[in-house]
Amino acid sequence: MTLIGVDGRAVRDALPDDAALMRALQGLITARRLNEQAYALVRQGRLAVYPSSHGQEACQVAAAQVLDDGDWLFPTYRDTAAIAERGVDPVEALSLLKGDWHCGYDPYEHKVAPHTTPLATQLPHAVGVAHAARLKGEPTVVMALCGDGGTSEGDFHEALNFAAVLKAPVVFFLQNNEYAISVPLSRQTAAPSLAHKGIGYGIKGERVDGNDVAAVLAVLKDAVDRARAGEGPQLVEAHTYRMQAHTNADDATRYRTDDEVAAWVDRDPIVRLEKHLRDRDLLTDSLLSEMREAAEKKAASMRDGINRDIAPNPSDLFAYVYATPTTQLQEQGAQA
Amino acid sequence: MTVHEKLSMGQALNRALRDAMAADPSVVVFGEDVGPLGGVFRITDGLTAEFGEDRCFDTPLAESGIVGVAVGMAMNGMRPVVEMQFDAFAYPAFEQIVSHVAKMRNRTRGKVSLPMVIRVPYAGGIGGVEHHCDSSEAYYAHTPGLHVVAPATPSDAYDLLREAIASPDPVVFLEPKKLYWSKEEVELSGRPRASAIGRAVVRREGTDATLIAYGPSVPVALEAAEVADREGRSLQVVDLRSIVPFDDETVCAAVRSTGRAVVVAEASGFASVSSEIAARVTERCFHSLAAPIRRVTGYDIPYPPPKLEHIHLPNVERVLEAVDDLQWEDS
Ligand SMILES: Cc1ncc(C[n+]2csc(CCOP(=O)(O)OP(=O)(O)O)c2C)c(N)n1
Ligand SMILES: [Mg+2]
């Protein structure tokens, strides 16, 4: 589904309201700026690696913006921008990639699960959080993110099946960016679409234009509402594209052409929404520069935070393995 | 109120689950066939009837999903106790256990703890066909972040399970299948008792050599000590109960008191828990040892078919041969 076309024109009614679109634009501009900043920080040797969501910002922003405070976000390793949009300090979100610690934020503070790298393994956790919430009578919905490649992992299928059987309020949100590192979608699945994967589990699947933030917001909002209303898990596939290499360490020219990438430039989520809002006189130059300034401020604070060296504390290595360190760990910690 | 009842290990485990569920509404039990059937070994018998389907429920047949869902439930305020149907059928959950169950607390610097128990009917001696008799403790014990326990008596089964459920850390709970039907008087306090996790216990006093065992090998060690006693040799038996945390203190004090030790375990000996015990006791007690520590373990072979498992499993004879080998005289 598309709501706003690449030319910025609404192709259907039922757009999110003006305030929601303006908020989305701010989110997109910030997410893009953070992606660029993180990429620069890798080149400067401040981050070990950065999997960028450049080009996928509509998905990143919408996934966070449709949630209530009590809801949970379960990100993949690529979803730093979504984590930041949810409210986590980007410096804390990048701890994993900076190397100070694995997870740099308190998952309970913004209800964001730790982002980790084993693909799809977070999805059963998302089902567990949702099921526990349901047992406790809490209105929580869990937004569980996954890539196209991740849908081939067993845990994706086990999570969908468990969620459906338990009627767990989970929205499985797939960012189909056409590649898993170098492997194209055609090598990942023979299904007509990733949304079809819900059928075998009794879960309704939706497809949405992943570079149209209005559409992603609308579809995800609808999915969240249904999950909250007790209709069980929902599956949404967003078709988008990873504009940069898999990470800075990857050479994308080995598996895709410049022409292919160029075709997606016109579908940029930010350009499209800006155009739409300008055409409707909702966006002015001064509003836009305010938004850019806000993004710049976030990027600057992220840069400062990442550039600040904090001496990691070796005793932390032994302190958190168990609630109470074993005598063996106490001994090893004293030696280290 | 404290009562005594004669219970099998299976019944003691069932009581522990019931008492824990009654005491704490956040305790939930789930897995394959654990609902109305009560589990293939009946350890969860009657729990769904007593506590309802929200508290004890059957899941789809997918172990990674079971453990992964338990992780999420533990993140969100519950105390899941999940059952793996058999030792070898826990392997599909291995990634979840190693990459998340074990690492979550450390990953989040203690912000997210996972109070969950993974119950595993474990080890051999029941004539089970392939994939029903694995001794998988080394995989778990090698993974920092997990507690790993294995009861050898109904009383310990009750106490350890209550304590495992109450623990803020994830516990892999290995239930020796062949001991499910062994019976003894169990003291039921209704409350979790003094800590057994991390505490080994001397099951039998003795002065000539120490047998170190855990789980299914404890009765073998005790029987060997009984036979040795008739032959004039006094063997001490230490039951680890807890593989992780490991009770160096009790084990080393025991070995120092006799100066000789044999480790008895069903698992294959190579790169095993028994190797670890031999190594760490040697490191700590070298000057008290009159002989190298011997190990009596399963051979380094895939678990044998039922008709041959007696070849593989440590028995009294093999234990006593190892004891005989402990350089009683310089020769
Ligand atoms: C279990 C597992 N296998 C392999 C990897 C290595 N790996 C990291 S990202 C990636 C591709 C993921 O593709 P997709 O799910 O489409 O996400 P995207 O990178 O496109 O966001 C692979 C193979 C991993 N992280 N986890
Ligand atoms: Mg992909």
Side-chain angles (χ1 to χ4, degrees), chain A residues 101 103 108 116 121 124-125 128-129 133 135-136 155 158 161-162 316 320-323 328, chain B residues 62 64-65 68-69 72-73 75-76 96 100 105-107 109 145-147 169 246 248 280:
Chain A
W101 199 258
C103 178
Y108 291 115
T116 64
T121 55
H125 308 169
V129 166
L135 291 181
K136 293 192 286 183
D155 272 0
E158 296 194 15
N161 191 40
F162 269 73
D316 279 3
Y320 303 110
V321 183
Y322 299 101
Q328 290 80 7
Chain B
S64 186
V69 167
M73 292 181 76
M75 284 176 76
N76 199 5
Q96 283 291 343
H100 295 296
R105 171 185 289 282
N106 183 68
R107 170 183 300 147
R109 278 198 177 94
L146 303 174
H147 283 172
D169 288 311
F246 188 84
D248 281 310
R280 61 194 305 118

mmCIF file of all heavy atoms in Angstrom, chain A residues 101 103 108 116 121 124-125 128-129 133 135-136 155 158 161-162 316 320-323 328, chain B residues 62 64-65 68-69 72-73 75-76 96 100 105-107 109 145-147 169 246 248 280:
data_model
loop_
_atom_site.group_PDB
_atom_site.id
_atom_site.type_symbol
_atom_site.label_atom_id
_atom_site.label_comp_id
_atom_site.label_asym_id
_atom_site.label_seq_id
_atom_site.Cartn_x
_atom_site.Cartn_y
_atom_site.Cartn_z
ATOM 1 N N TRP A 101 30.374 -1.621 25.907
ATOM 2 C CA TRP A 101 29.636 -2.738 26.503
ATOM 3 C C TRP A 101 28.669 -3.274 25.462
ATOM 4 O O TRP A 101 28.461 -2.614 24.427
ATOM 5 C CB TRP A 101 28.898 -2.312 27.788
ATOM 6 C CG TRP A 101 28.554 -3.523 28.620
ATOM 7 C CD1 TRP A 101 27.330 -4.118 28.703
ATOM 8 C CD2 TRP A 101 29.448 -4.290 29.417
ATOM 9 N NE1 TRP A 101 27.424 -5.223 29.522
ATOM 10 C CE2 TRP A 101 28.707 -5.355 29.968
ATOM 11 C CE3 TRP A 101 30.812 -4.186 29.715
ATOM 12 C CZ2 TRP A 101 29.275 -6.317 30.799
ATOM 13 C CZ3 TRP A 101 31.378 -5.143 30.543
ATOM 14 C CH2 TRP A 101 30.612 -6.189 31.081
ATOM 15 N N CYS A 103 25.226 -3.997 25.660
ATOM 16 C CA CYS A 103 24.020 -3.162 25.594
ATOM 17 C C CYS A 103 24.259 -1.956 26.488
ATOM 18 O O CYS A 103 24.530 -2.121 27.675
ATOM 19 C CB CYS A 103 22.785 -3.936 26.046
ATOM 20 S SG CYS A 103 21.279 -2.930 26.050
ATOM 21 N N TYR A 108 14.502 -1.462 30.179
ATOM 22 C CA TYR A 108 13.207 -1.152 30.791
ATOM 23 C C TYR A 108 12.865 0.333 30.712
ATOM 24 O O TYR A 108 11.700 0.706 30.801
ATOM 25 C CB TYR A 108 13.186 -1.607 32.254
ATOM 26 C CG TYR A 108 13.193 -3.114 32.389
ATOM 27 C CD1 TYR A 108 14.266 -3.773 32.972
ATOM 28 C CD2 TYR A 108 12.130 -3.876 31.904
ATOM 29 C CE1 TYR A 108 14.277 -5.155 33.087
ATOM 30 C CE2 TYR A 108 12.135 -5.253 32.011
ATOM 31 C CZ TYR A 108 13.209 -5.889 32.599
ATOM 32 O OH TYR A 108 13.217 -7.255 32.694
ATOM 33 N N THR A 116 20.821 -7.031 19.466
ATOM 34 C CA THR A 116 21.899 -8.010 19.419
ATOM 35 C C THR A 116 21.970 -8.534 17.993
ATOM 36 O O THR A 116 21.070 -8.279 17.190
ATOM 37 C CB THR A 116 21.631 -9.189 20.371
ATOM 38 O OG1 THR A 116 20.461 -9.880 19.932
ATOM 39 C CG2 THR A 116 21.436 -8.713 21.801
ATOM 40 N N THR A 121 16.505 -14.171 16.633
ATOM 41 C CA THR A 121 16.388 -14.759 17.974
ATOM 42 C C THR A 121 15.600 -13.863 18.922
ATOM 43 O O THR A 121 15.133 -14.330 19.956
ATOM 44 C CB THR A 121 17.775 -15.022 18.600
ATOM 45 O OG1 THR A 121 18.524 -13.807 18.605
ATOM 46 C CG2 THR A 121 18.536 -16.088 17.836
ATOM 47 N N PRO A 124 11.137 -14.698 19.359
ATOM 48 C CA PRO A 124 10.454 -15.425 20.440
ATOM 49 C C PRO A 124 10.423 -14.633 21.752
ATOM 50 O O PRO A 124 9.447 -14.731 22.508
ATOM 51 C CB PRO A 124 11.288 -16.706 20.597
ATOM 52 C CG PRO A 124 12.027 -16.855 19.308
ATOM 53 C CD PRO A 124 12.260 -15.471 18.789
ATOM 54 N N HIS A 125 11.452 -13.833 22.001
ATOM 55 C CA HIS A 125 11.433 -13.005 23.217
ATOM 56 C C HIS A 125 10.262 -12.025 23.150
ATOM 57 O O HIS A 125 9.575 -11.785 24.153
ATOM 58 C CB HIS A 125 12.725 -12.193 23.381
ATOM 59 C CG HIS A 125 13.983 -13.004 23.300
ATOM 60 N ND1 HIS A 125 15.232 -12.444 23.203
ATOM 61 C CD2 HIS A 125 14.186 -14.353 23.300
ATOM 62 C CE1 HIS A 125 16.157 -13.399 23.147
ATOM 63 N NE2 HIS A 125 15.536 -14.561 23.205
ATOM 64 N N GLY A 128 7.217 -13.673 24.101
ATOM 65 C CA GLY A 128 7.166 -13.911 25.544
ATOM 66 C C GLY A 128 6.772 -12.662 26.315
ATOM 67 O O GLY A 128 5.950 -12.733 27.240
ATOM 68 N N VAL A 129 7.340 -11.537 25.940
ATOM 69 C CA VAL A 129 6.970 -10.281 26.609
ATOM 70 C C VAL A 129 5.485 -10.007 26.396
ATOM 71 O O VAL A 129 4.756 -9.644 27.330
ATOM 72 C CB VAL A 129 7.834 -9.106 26.087
ATOM 73 C CG1 VAL A 129 7.239 -7.768 26.500
ATOM 74 C CG2 VAL A 129 9.269 -9.232 26.617
ATOM 75 N N ALA A 133 2.498 -10.015 29.235
ATOM 76 C CA ALA A 133 1.658 -8.829 29.413
ATOM 77 C C ALA A 133 0.178 -9.211 29.383
ATOM 78 O O ALA A 133 -0.626 -8.738 30.188
ATOM 79 C CB ALA A 133 1.968 -7.800 28.317
ATOM 80 N N LEU A 135 -1.119 -12.128 30.119
ATOM 81 C CA LEU A 135 -1.453 -12.858 31.351
ATOM 82 C C LEU A 135 -1.651 -11.886 32.513
ATOM 83 O O LEU A 135 -2.472 -12.115 33.398
ATOM 84 C CB LEU A 135 -0.351 -13.861 31.706
ATOM 85 C CG LEU A 135 -0.199 -15.080 30.786
ATOM 86 C CD1 LEU A 135 0.927 -15.978 31.287
ATOM 87 C CD2 LEU A 135 -1.502 -15.864 30.706
ATOM 88 N N LYS A 136 -0.878 -10.798 32.515
ATOM 89 C CA LYS A 136 -0.978 -9.827 33.605
ATOM 90 C C LYS A 136 -2.103 -8.823 33.377
ATOM 91 O O LYS A 136 -2.326 -7.941 34.191
ATOM 92 C CB LYS A 136 0.358 -9.077 33.756
ATOM 93 C CG LYS A 136 1.509 -9.965 34.232
ATOM 94 C CD LYS A 136 2.726 -9.156 34.654
ATOM 95 C CE LYS A 136 3.480 -8.588 33.466
ATOM 96 N NZ LYS A 136 4.705 -7.866 33.858
ATOM 97 N N ASP A 155 13.837 -19.357 14.171
ATOM 98 C CA ASP A 155 13.178 -18.608 15.237
ATOM 99 C C ASP A 155 12.085 -17.683 14.703
ATOM 100 O O ASP A 155 11.126 -17.378 15.415
ATOM 101 C CB ASP A 155 14.191 -17.795 16.051
ATOM 102 C CG ASP A 155 14.774 -18.611 17.207
ATOM 103 O OD1 ASP A 155 14.386 -19.782 17.361
ATOM 104 O OD2 ASP A 155 15.608 -18.067 17.954
ATOM 105 N N GLU A 158 9.160 -20.082 14.437
ATOM 106 C CA GLU A 158 8.687 -20.504 15.762
ATOM 107 C C GLU A 158 7.983 -19.347 16.460
ATOM 108 O O GLU A 158 6.967 -19.536 17.134
ATOM 109 C CB GLU A 158 9.863 -21.039 16.592
ATOM 110 C CG GLU A 158 10.456 -22.287 15.952
ATOM 111 C CD GLU A 158 11.390 -23.091 16.855
ATOM 112 O OE1 GLU A 158 11.391 -22.878 18.085
ATOM 113 O OE2 GLU A 158 12.107 -23.946 16.314
ATOM 114 N N ASN A 161 4.514 -18.807 14.922
ATOM 115 C CA ASN A 161 3.608 -19.884 15.306
ATOM 116 C C ASN A 161 3.182 -19.762 16.774
ATOM 117 O O ASN A 161 1.999 -19.879 17.102
ATOM 118 C CB ASN A 161 4.282 -21.228 15.046
ATOM 119 C CG ASN A 161 3.319 -22.380 15.161
ATOM 120 O OD1 ASN A 161 2.180 -22.281 14.723
ATOM 121 N ND2 ASN A 161 3.748 -23.454 15.776
ATOM 122 N N PHE A 162 4.153 -19.516 17.650
ATOM 123 C CA PHE A 162 3.824 -19.338 19.067
ATOM 124 C C PHE A 162 2.875 -18.152 19.248
ATOM 125 O O PHE A 162 1.901 -18.234 20.003
ATOM 126 C CB PHE A 162 5.092 -19.102 19.902
ATOM 127 C CG PHE A 162 5.707 -20.360 20.448
ATOM 128 C CD1 PHE A 162 6.386 -21.229 19.619
ATOM 129 C CD2 PHE A 162 5.614 -20.671 21.795
ATOM 130 C CE1 PHE A 162 6.957 -22.395 20.113
ATOM 131 C CE2 PHE A 162 6.179 -21.836 22.308
ATOM 132 C CZ PHE A 162 6.857 -22.697 21.464
ATOM 133 N N ASP A 316 33.832 -4.930 35.689
ATOM 134 C CA ASP A 316 32.475 -5.163 35.176
ATOM 135 C C ASP A 316 32.349 -6.523 34.495
ATOM 136 O O ASP A 316 31.262 -7.099 34.439
ATOM 137 C CB ASP A 316 32.098 -4.087 34.148
ATOM 138 C CG ASP A 316 31.630 -2.798 34.815
ATOM 139 O OD1 ASP A 316 31.653 -2.734 36.060
ATOM 140 O OD2 ASP A 316 31.258 -1.858 34.085
ATOM 141 N N TYR A 320 28.514 -9.069 36.457
ATOM 142 C CA TYR A 320 27.125 -9.229 36.019
ATOM 143 C C TYR A 320 26.817 -10.586 35.409
ATOM 144 O O TYR A 320 25.753 -10.775 34.824
ATOM 145 C CB TYR A 320 26.777 -8.130 35.015
ATOM 146 C CG TYR A 320 26.985 -6.743 35.565
ATOM 147 C CD1 TYR A 320 28.006 -5.939 35.088
ATOM 148 C CD2 TYR A 320 26.170 -6.266 36.592
ATOM 149 C CE1 TYR A 320 28.202 -4.661 35.603
ATOM 150 C CE2 TYR A 320 26.367 -5.001 37.117
ATOM 151 C CZ TYR A 320 27.388 -4.200 36.619
ATOM 152 O OH TYR A 320 27.586 -2.957 37.130
ATOM 153 N N VAL A 321 27.755 -11.517 35.514
ATOM 154 C CA VAL A 321 27.504 -12.829 34.914
ATOM 155 C C VAL A 321 26.366 -13.523 35.668
ATOM 156 O O VAL A 321 25.483 -14.139 35.072
ATOM 157 C CB VAL A 321 28.779 -13.693 34.942
ATOM 158 C CG1 VAL A 321 28.533 -15.033 34.256
ATOM 159 C CG2 VAL A 321 29.935 -12.953 34.271
ATOM 160 N N TYR A 322 26.395 -13.363 36.999
ATOM 161 C CA TYR A 322 25.329 -13.897 37.859
ATOM 162 C C TYR A 322 24.890 -12.783 38.811
ATOM 163 O O TYR A 322 25.618 -11.816 39.022
ATOM 164 C CB TYR A 322 25.839 -15.087 38.682
ATOM 165 C CG TYR A 322 26.300 -16.244 37.834
ATOM 166 C CD1 TYR A 322 27.658 -16.456 37.596
ATOM 167 C CD2 TYR A 322 25.378 -17.123 37.265
ATOM 168 C CE1 TYR A 322 28.083 -17.518 36.806
ATOM 169 C CE2 TYR A 322 25.802 -18.186 36.481
ATOM 170 C CZ TYR A 322 27.147 -18.378 36.248
ATOM 171 O OH TYR A 322 27.557 -19.425 35.464
ATOM 172 N N ALA A 323 23.725 -12.964 39.409
ATOM 173 C CA ALA A 323 23.243 -11.974 40.372
ATOM 174 C C ALA A 323 24.277 -11.790 41.484
ATOM 175 O O ALA A 323 24.568 -10.673 41.903
ATOM 176 C CB ALA A 323 21.897 -12.417 40.947
ATOM 177 N N GLN A 328 34.441 -18.488 42.183
ATOM 178 C CA GLN A 328 35.434 -18.587 41.116
ATOM 179 C C GLN A 328 35.551 -17.261 40.369
ATOM 180 O O GLN A 328 36.650 -16.816 40.047
ATOM 181 C CB GLN A 328 35.054 -19.703 40.130
ATOM 182 C CG GLN A 328 35.191 -21.114 40.689
ATOM 183 C CD GLN A 328 34.005 -21.540 41.567
ATOM 184 O OE1 GLN A 328 33.008 -20.824 41.657
ATOM 185 N NE2 GLN A 328 34.104 -22.680 42.215
ATOM 186 N N ALA B 62 8.342 -26.906 19.589
ATOM 187 C CA ALA B 62 9.483 -26.161 19.062
ATOM 188 C C ALA B 62 10.296 -25.644 20.251
ATOM 189 O O ALA B 62 9.889 -24.716 20.935
ATOM 190 C CB ALA B 62 9.001 -25.005 18.193
ATOM 191 N N SER B 64 13.303 -24.160 20.592
ATOM 192 C CA SER B 64 13.874 -22.813 20.569
ATOM 193 C C SER B 64 12.788 -21.803 20.915
ATOM 194 O O SER B 64 13.018 -20.861 21.684
ATOM 195 C CB SER B 64 14.465 -22.510 19.192
ATOM 196 O OG SER B 64 15.138 -21.290 19.209
ATOM 197 N N GLY B 65 11.611 -22.012 20.361
ATOM 198 C CA GLY B 65 10.484 -21.135 20.674
ATOM 199 C C GLY B 65 10.127 -21.195 22.154
ATOM 200 O O GLY B 65 9.856 -20.174 22.781
ATOM 201 N N GLY B 68 12.885 -19.374 23.977
ATOM 202 C CA GLY B 68 12.854 -17.960 23.590
ATOM 203 C C GLY B 68 11.664 -17.230 24.188
ATOM 204 O O GLY B 68 11.788 -16.097 24.675
ATOM 205 N N VAL B 69 10.508 -17.863 24.174
ATOM 206 C CA VAL B 69 9.317 -17.250 24.779
ATOM 207 C C VAL B 69 9.526 -17.104 26.297
ATOM 208 O O VAL B 69 9.147 -16.094 26.893
ATOM 209 C CB VAL B 69 8.050 -18.064 24.447
ATOM 210 C CG1 VAL B 69 6.875 -17.649 25.316
ATOM 211 C CG2 VAL B 69 7.687 -17.894 22.973
ATOM 212 N N GLY B 72 11.432 -13.979 27.035
ATOM 213 C CA GLY B 72 10.584 -12.783 27.002
ATOM 214 C C GLY B 72 9.685 -12.685 28.219
ATOM 215 O O GLY B 72 9.496 -11.613 28.795
ATOM 216 N N MET B 73 9.136 -13.818 28.650
ATOM 217 C CA MET B 73 8.255 -13.795 29.820
ATOM 218 C C MET B 73 9.050 -13.424 31.073
ATOM 219 O O MET B 73 8.569 -12.668 31.928
ATOM 220 C CB MET B 73 7.546 -15.137 29.985
ATOM 221 C CG MET B 73 6.548 -15.379 28.853
ATOM 222 S SD MET B 73 5.649 -16.932 29.008
ATOM 223 C CE MET B 73 4.467 -16.506 30.293
ATOM 224 N N MET B 75 11.670 -11.581 31.073
ATOM 225 C CA MET B 75 11.955 -10.140 30.950
ATOM 226 C C MET B 75 10.779 -9.310 31.444
ATOM 227 O O MET B 75 10.935 -8.165 31.831
ATOM 228 C CB MET B 75 12.194 -9.758 29.481
ATOM 229 C CG MET B 75 13.532 -10.155 28.920
ATOM 230 S SD MET B 75 13.636 -9.754 27.154
ATOM 231 C CE MET B 75 13.884 -7.967 27.232
ATOM 232 N N ASN B 76 9.612 -9.893 31.367
ATOM 233 C CA ASN B 76 8.393 -9.146 31.691
ATOM 234 C C ASN B 76 7.717 -9.672 32.957
ATOM 235 O O ASN B 76 6.498 -9.807 33.022
ATOM 236 C CB ASN B 76 7.430 -9.178 30.495
ATOM 237 C CG ASN B 76 6.391 -8.078 30.568
ATOM 238 O OD1 ASN B 76 6.417 -7.225 31.459
ATOM 239 N ND2 ASN B 76 5.453 -8.101 29.621
ATOM 240 N N GLN B 96 19.285 -20.238 21.784
ATOM 241 C CA GLN B 96 18.619 -19.364 22.745
ATOM 242 C C GLN B 96 19.298 -19.440 24.110
ATOM 243 O O GLN B 96 19.497 -18.436 24.788
ATOM 244 C CB GLN B 96 17.132 -19.732 22.873
ATOM 245 C CG GLN B 96 16.267 -19.240 21.709
ATOM 246 C CD GLN B 96 16.111 -17.722 21.694
ATOM 247 O OE1 GLN B 96 16.365 -17.026 22.675
ATOM 248 N NE2 GLN B 96 15.687 -17.186 20.561
ATOM 249 N N HIS B 100 21.360 -16.096 24.613
ATOM 250 C CA HIS B 100 20.483 -15.154 25.308
ATOM 251 C C HIS B 100 20.245 -15.491 26.774
ATOM 252 O O HIS B 100 20.453 -14.647 27.637
ATOM 253 C CB HIS B 100 19.150 -15.015 24.560
ATOM 254 C CG HIS B 100 19.333 -14.415 23.210
ATOM 255 N ND1 HIS B 100 19.795 -13.130 23.027
ATOM 256 C CD2 HIS B 100 19.169 -14.930 21.975
ATOM 257 C CE1 HIS B 100 19.896 -12.867 21.725
ATOM 258 N NE2 HIS B 100 19.524 -13.942 21.064
ATOM 259 N N ARG B 105 21.827 -11.087 31.414
ATOM 260 C CA ARG B 105 22.177 -10.281 32.588
ATOM 261 C C ARG B 105 23.492 -9.525 32.352
ATOM 262 O O ARG B 105 23.591 -8.328 32.582
ATOM 263 C CB ARG B 105 22.318 -11.156 33.837
ATOM 264 C CG ARG B 105 22.891 -10.414 35.033
ATOM 265 C CD ARG B 105 23.130 -11.340 36.202
ATOM 266 N NE ARG B 105 21.880 -11.775 36.797
ATOM 267 C CZ ARG B 105 21.132 -11.029 37.612
ATOM 268 N NH1 ARG B 105 21.513 -9.826 37.936
ATOM 269 N NH2 ARG B 105 20.012 -11.502 38.097
ATOM 270 N N ASN B 106 24.475 -10.241 31.873
ATOM 271 C CA ASN B 106 25.773 -9.627 31.620
ATOM 272 C C ASN B 106 25.662 -8.553 30.534
ATOM 273 O O ASN B 106 26.203 -7.458 30.670
ATOM 274 C CB ASN B 106 26.757 -10.716 31.203
ATOM 275 C CG ASN B 106 28.149 -10.182 30.985
ATOM 276 O OD1 ASN B 106 28.812 -9.760 31.922
ATOM 277 N ND2 ASN B 106 28.603 -10.172 29.738
ATOM 278 N N ARG B 107 24.923 -8.871 29.472
ATOM 279 C CA ARG B 107 24.762 -7.941 28.353
ATOM 280 C C ARG B 107 24.218 -6.598 28.830
ATOM 281 O O ARG B 107 24.621 -5.553 28.350
ATOM 282 C CB ARG B 107 23.785 -8.561 27.352
ATOM 283 C CG ARG B 107 23.318 -7.651 26.235
ATOM 284 C CD ARG B 107 22.301 -8.356 25.366
ATOM 285 N NE ARG B 107 22.893 -9.550 24.772
ATOM 286 C CZ ARG B 107 22.220 -10.671 24.519
ATOM 287 N NH1 ARG B 107 20.933 -10.767 24.782
ATOM 288 N NH2 ARG B 107 22.841 -11.705 24.005
ATOM 289 N N ARG B 109 24.302 -5.407 31.903
ATOM 290 C CA ARG B 109 24.915 -5.015 33.183
ATOM 291 C C ARG B 109 23.924 -5.165 34.341
ATOM 292 O O ARG B 109 23.753 -4.262 35.160
ATOM 293 C CB ARG B 109 25.356 -3.554 33.138
ATOM 294 C CG ARG B 109 26.693 -3.298 32.476
ATOM 295 C CD ARG B 109 27.158 -1.916 32.912
ATOM 296 N NE ARG B 109 28.450 -1.550 32.426
ATOM 297 C CZ ARG B 109 28.669 -0.852 31.315
ATOM 298 N NH1 ARG B 109 27.659 -0.466 30.559
ATOM 299 N NH2 ARG B 109 29.886 -0.531 30.974
ATOM 300 N N GLY B 145 27.112 -17.878 32.846
ATOM 301 C CA GLY B 145 25.806 -17.230 32.964
ATOM 302 C C GLY B 145 24.701 -18.199 33.338
ATOM 303 O O GLY B 145 23.611 -17.776 33.714
ATOM 304 N N LEU B 146 24.975 -19.491 33.217
ATOM 305 C CA LEU B 146 23.975 -20.492 33.587
ATOM 306 C C LEU B 146 24.362 -21.140 34.908
ATOM 307 O O LEU B 146 25.544 -21.379 35.156
ATOM 308 C CB LEU B 146 23.911 -21.601 32.528
ATOM 309 C CG LEU B 146 23.613 -21.190 31.092
ATOM 310 C CD1 LEU B 146 23.743 -22.413 30.178
ATOM 311 C CD2 LEU B 146 22.211 -20.591 30.990
ATOM 312 N N HIS B 147 23.380 -21.432 35.704
ATOM 313 C CA HIS B 147 23.594 -22.353 36.800
ATOM 314 C C HIS B 147 23.175 -23.738 36.295
ATOM 315 O O HIS B 147 22.220 -23.857 35.533
ATOM 316 C CB HIS B 147 22.766 -21.964 38.028
ATOM 317 C CG HIS B 147 23.357 -20.802 38.777
ATOM 318 N ND1 HIS B 147 22.711 -20.178 39.810
ATOM 319 C CD2 HIS B 147 24.534 -20.156 38.628
ATOM 320 C CE1 HIS B 147 23.468 -19.202 40.282
ATOM 321 N NE2 HIS B 147 24.579 -19.161 39.574
ATOM 322 N N ASP B 169 18.822 -16.041 38.741
ATOM 323 C CA ASP B 169 19.600 -16.461 37.576
ATOM 324 C C ASP B 169 18.954 -17.651 36.889
ATOM 325 O O ASP B 169 18.266 -18.448 37.525
ATOM 326 C CB ASP B 169 21.021 -16.857 38.011
ATOM 327 C CG ASP B 169 21.851 -15.656 38.402
ATOM 328 O OD1 ASP B 169 21.870 -14.688 37.622
ATOM 329 O OD2 ASP B 169 22.463 -15.673 39.490
ATOM 330 N N PHE B 246 30.325 -24.246 41.263
ATOM 331 C CA PHE B 246 31.034 -25.442 41.718
ATOM 332 C C PHE B 246 31.555 -25.196 43.132
ATOM 333 O O PHE B 246 32.139 -24.160 43.410
ATOM 334 C CB PHE B 246 32.191 -25.741 40.770
ATOM 335 C CG PHE B 246 32.846 -27.063 41.057
ATOM 336 C CD1 PHE B 246 32.326 -28.233 40.539
ATOM 337 C CD2 PHE B 246 33.964 -27.135 41.874
ATOM 338 C CE1 PHE B 246 32.921 -29.460 40.812
ATOM 339 C CE2 PHE B 246 34.562 -28.356 42.152
ATOM 340 C CZ PHE B 246 34.035 -29.525 41.624
ATOM 341 N N ASP B 248 34.103 -25.695 45.248
ATOM 342 C CA ASP B 248 35.505 -26.090 45.423
ATOM 343 C C ASP B 248 35.818 -26.430 46.876
ATOM 344 O O ASP B 248 36.587 -27.349 47.158
ATOM 345 C CB ASP B 248 36.428 -24.936 44.989
ATOM 346 C CG ASP B 248 36.574 -24.860 43.475
ATOM 347 O OD1 ASP B 248 36.865 -25.896 42.862
ATOM 348 O OD2 ASP B 248 36.396 -23.762 42.914
ATOM 349 N N ARG B 280 40.776 -29.088 38.411
ATOM 350 C CA ARG B 280 40.746 -28.062 39.469
ATOM 351 C C ARG B 280 41.116 -28.630 40.831
ATOM 352 O O ARG B 280 41.733 -27.955 41.633
ATOM 353 C CB ARG B 280 39.448 -27.279 39.488
ATOM 354 C CG ARG B 280 38.182 -28.067 39.733
ATOM 355 C CD ARG B 280 36.960 -27.231 39.376
ATOM 356 N NE ARG B 280 36.960 -25.965 40.101
ATOM 357 C CZ ARG B 280 37.019 -24.762 39.532
ATOM 358 N NH1 ARG B 280 37.066 -24.648 38.231
ATOM 359 N NH2 ARG B 280 37.010 -23.672 40.265
#
